[in-house]
Amino acid sequence: MPTVPDPDLVPFEPPVHPTIRAAFRNVIESYPRALYDGQGLVRYRTWFLDSVFVNEPELIRDILVARAHLFRRDDVARQLLSPMLGPTSLFMAEGADWRWQRRAVAPTFRHDKLLALVPTFSAIAVRQADRWRAAPRERPVDVAEAMAQTTLEVIVGTVLGSAGALDAQGFARALTTELDSFPWRFILTAFRAPPWLPYPGRRRAARAREHIYREAARLVAQRRRVSARADLLDLLLQARTSRSTSRSATECCSASGQALKSSSTASST
């Protein structure tokens, strides 16, 4: 990999071979170099996993949108991700259930609506950059913690539109607890362990998920009683369909927060 001139920045060096220890630190850290260097379709084989990673946008669209009916989520992915994202959410639904949910939320993520959120993204990024500039230069910076805080601010600013409606710290703790269980689930799922098998932190993660969904349901119910604020949650609530609108809005709110937090955790490695 090219040398990074900044002496305070240590570049990430993908491993030649994945290790379980790396997976416990961060699942993405365990991916071998071939997945970063390869283009299009890259096969990733170990003695307990045989996967194909798709690295090309056109192929990803083909799989997820254009010909989604030809692809299904395998049992490993479903066992791994359903506890975190919800078994019937847009992220995990398939067939007709997926199609109506996608049609319902598609207007929410139109290009013009996302562009309207850019000033919020920019202001939050500037605040974080200012916090880093103000920190003592001799003290190491915890990038993961900073990205978690930044992501939470994005969720509050764009999905909820107001910090007053959410117990931000409690929500962040619940998300962190849930994500901390992901390496254990990843390892056990990779080894085809039964989903009921206990692991360290399982009960804490289950309680955290319950808190996340209760908080999402409370926010949805609260927002239905107040005037529109033109944030993502309102746009999702306006995406009415003839089936399970309330459930869809609640799960989209919760799963969006989890996906945003997951992406920030990965980007901070």
Side-chain angles (χ1 to χ4, degrees), residues 200-246:
R202 179 183 177 121
R203 290 184 179 180
R204 287 195 304 274
R207 289 194 296 268
R209 285 194 297 273
E210 290 173 1
H211 176 81
I212 291 167
Y213 276 92
R214 282 198 307 270
E215 188 73 358
R218 183 185 67 78
L219 290 171
V220 169
Q222 183 183 68
R223 186 58 63 85
R224 289 185 187 280
R225 298 192 298 267
V226 300
S227 58
R229 300 184 183 182
D231 54 30
L232 283 180
L233 180 54
D234 267 327
L235 293 173
L236 286 170
L237 289 173
Q238 293 166 16
R240 294 183 177 274
T241 65
S242 60
R243 299 171 56 191
S244 304
T245 305
S246 179

Side-chain angles (χ1 to χ4, degrees), residues 184-197:
W184 271 109
R185 291 208 308 272
F186 175 78
I187 296 298
L188 294 176
T189 301
F191 279 95
R192 304 299 197 274
W196 50 261
L197 194 70

Side-chain angles (χ1 to χ4, degrees), residues 91-113:
F91 294 94
M92 300 304 298
E94 295 181 310
D97 197 30
W98 172 80
R99 284 193 294 274
W100 80 258
Q101 288 196 58
R102 185 176 184 276
R103 283 196 298 269
V105 303
T108 304
F109 297 99
R110 286 204 328 248
H111 187 248
D112 59 322
K113 293 187 181 297

Side-chain angles (χ1 to χ4, degrees), residues 1-252:
M1 297 183 68
T3 301
V4 178
D6 188 342
D8 295 326
L9 180 61
V10 180
F12 172 62
E13 185 70 24
V16 177
H17 301 290
T19 66
I20 292 179
R21 177 176 294 182
F24 271 106
R25 285 196 303 267
N26 187 296
V27 172
I28 293 178
E29 187 181 340
S30 69
Y31 293 166
R33 175 182 289 276
L35 296 184
Y36 295 88
D37 296 338
Q39 298 294 322
L41 300 176
V42 180
R43 193 170 186 176
Y44 173 40
R45 302 181 70 179
T46 68
W47 64 276
F48 55 85
L49 271 181
D50 187 1
S51 305
V52 174
F53 282 70
V54 184
N55 296 330
E56 198 167 295
E58 290 185 5
L59 290 176
I60 294 173
R61 176 176 175 77
D62 204 35
I63 293 170
L64 297 182
V65 180
R67 293 195 288 178
H69 61 286
L70 298 179
F71 299 89
R72 61 175 295 273
R73 287 170 179 78
D74 61 278
D75 295 336
V76 172
R78 188 165 291 282
Q79 180 178 334
L80 177 63
L81 298 175
S82 288
M84 181 183 294
L85 300 178
T88 59
S89 70
L90 177 63
F91 294 94
M92 300 304 298
E94 295 181 310
D97 197 30
W98 172 80
R99 284 193 294 274
W100 80 258
Q101 288 196 58
R102 185 176 184 276
R103 283 196 298 269
V105 303
T108 304
F109 297 99
R110 286 204 328 248
H111 187 248
D112 59 322
K113 293 187 181 297
L114 294 178
L115 281 180
L117 300 175
V118 169
T120 302
F121 296 151
S122 177
I124 292 170
V126 168
R127 283 203 300 269
Q128 180 54 58
D130 289 341
R131 286 195 290 265
W132 275 332
R133 292 191 182 99
R137 291 188 173 273
E138 67 277 5
R139 183 183 304 168
V141 172
D142 187 341
V143 177
E145 181 180 345
M147 292 304 298
Q149 175 64 31
T150 300
T151 300
L152 183 62
E153 291 179 14
V154 169
I155 294 172
V156 171
T158 61
V159 179
L160 305 179
S162 169
L166 177 71
D167 173 13
Q169 296 306 315
F171 198 73
R173 285 194 298 270
L175 284 171
T176 299
T177 299
E178 163 63 6
L179 289 169
D180 284 345
S181 71
F182 187 83
W184 271 109
R185 291 208 308 272
F186 175 78
I187 296 298
L188 294 176
T189 301
F191 279 95
R192 304 299 197 274
W196 50 261
L197 194 70
Y199 56 81
R202 179 183 177 121
R203 290 184 179 180
R204 287 195 304 274
R207 289 194 296 268
R209 285 194 297 273
E210 290 173 1
H211 176 81
I212 291 167
Y213 276 92
R214 282 198 307 270
E215 188 73 358
R218 183 185 67 78
L219 290 171
V220 169
Q222 183 183 68
R223 186 58 63 85
R224 289 185 187 280
R225 298 192 298 267
V226 300
S227 58
R229 300 184 183 182
D231 54 30
L232 283 180
L233 180 54
D234 267 327
L235 293 173
L236 286 170
L237 289 173
Q238 293 166 16
R240 294 183 177 274
T241 65
S242 60
R243 299 171 56 191
S244 304
T245 305
S246 179
R247 185 192 70 181
S248 175
T250 299
E251 289 189 336
C252 282

